[in-house]
Amino acid sequence: MKKQLLLLCMATFAWYSCQTSQKGTSFDWLLTPRDNASFVQLSENGQELTIGNRLVTRTFRLDPTLATISMKNLMTDEEMIRAVSPEGYLYLNGEKYAIGGLTGQKERGYLRPEWVDEMKPVEGSFLLKGYEEGEIQERFPWARSRWALNKENATGKTVTFVLQGQEPMEHLQLRLTFGIYDHLPVISKSFELVNEGDEEVRVDSFELEQLAFVEPESSDDAETTDLLPNIHV
């Protein structure tokens, strides 16, 4: 049996801080960044895990498998998620495989917490087997050859979810890592795909993220540019 790293990739999500609610964060994170430390918190029933800081949070359902059920911009007191989706997709040997995710939501225009208990894993998807917590590490050496206000490496927490493929991809393990940063409204996401078997697998393409956001604005006027969610990928 051999282990072979097939793929490693990353995306980063940054939230805008334009104030649209009087209930948002009470401090300016640019002026007082030290007031904003990251955290990883497991719910009392063990079914949900939240990563975040005082600016943003992302909550995952762990049972029956991995799925994002909430993303909040605490600066504007705004829930971003309206529907549960797979964490992404892998296209392997010409077939499409979901990364976690749940199906069976009664209405995809909005999400009620009690609906999640009735939802089921996506057929044929990679299923959650466990997770590991860690600290954000320096991704590559930083020479610091030019002037910059910040001389320190980024700090924060990480959670790596371990998912396993189902037949015929049961020999593939997916390590999906989320990082929540101290002092910043930023969450990173990366994954490694490991072949634990002897059979070769062709990675045709992938989608690293699949999120159903609430529309901040919708217009019937084709010439009008609608507002987009307060997030940058």
Side-chain angles (χ1 to χ4, degrees), residues 119-144:
M119 299 171 71
K120 306 297 182 183
V122 177
E123 184 177 357
S125 63
F126 280 72
L127 299 178
L128 180 65
K129 297 301 180 182
Y131 69 91
E132 307 163 0
E133 297 183 30
E135 302 288 332
I136 285 180
Q137 304 295 323
E138 185 177 28
R139 297 188 183 279
F140 52 85
W142 180 21
R144 297 173 176 81

Side-chain angles (χ1 to χ4, degrees), residues 7 14 21 54 64 84 88 96 116 147 156 160 183 190 198 208 225:
L7 195 63
S21 170
R54 294 177 64 189
V84 180
K96 181 178 180 180
V116 179
W147 177 88
T160 298
H183 323 315
S190 61
D198 296 321
L208 183 55
T225 301

Side-chain angles (χ1 to χ4, degrees), residues 91-231:
Y91 295 83
L92 309 172
N93 294 346
E95 300 292 335
K96 181 178 180 180
Y97 298 91
I99 302 172
L102 296 171
T103 62
Q105 184 170 334
K106 297 178 180 179
E107 165 59 57
R108 292 189 62 81
Y110 59 93
L111 176 62
R112 292 183 179 275
E114 59 268 24
W115 291 351
V116 179
D117 293 333
E118 304 173 2
M119 299 171 71
K120 306 297 182 183
V122 177
E123 184 177 357
S125 63
F126 280 72
L127 299 178
L128 180 65
K129 297 301 180 182
Y131 69 91
E132 307 163 0
E133 297 183 30
E135 302 288 332
I136 285 180
Q137 304 295 323
E138 185 177 28
R139 297 188 183 279
F140 52 85
W142 180 21
R144 297 173 176 81
S145 60
R146 298 183 180 181
W147 177 88
L149 288 175
N150 179 38
K151 303 297 184 181
E152 302 176 356
N153 291 320
T155 58
K157 308 291 186 183
T158 63
V159 175
T160 298
F161 297 103
V162 181
L163 300 97
Q164 199 75 29
Q166 301 185 65
E167 190 178 2
M169 294 297 173
E170 67 274 11
H171 55 288
L172 294 186
Q173 182 187 95
L174 182 71
R175 297 179 60 84
L176 190 63
T177 300
F178 292 85
I180 176 67
Y181 288 79
D182 295 328
H183 323 315
L184 299 171
V186 173
I187 293 178
S188 66
K189 181 178 183 180
S190 61
F191 76 84
E192 301 176 32
L193 183 62
V194 179
N195 186 351
E196 299 180 307
D198 296 321
E199 182 179 349
E200 292 187 357
V201 176
R202 183 183 72 249
V203 180
D204 300 314
S205 62
F206 64 90
E207 298 174 24
L208 183 55
E209 189 64 279
Q210 176 86 6
L211 294 169
F213 281 154
V214 176
E215 294 181 349
E217 184 181 48
S218 181
S219 173
D220 293 333
D221 187 353
E223 298 181 357
T224 300
T225 301
D226 295 332
L227 292 176
L228 298 177
N230 288 330
I231 192 170

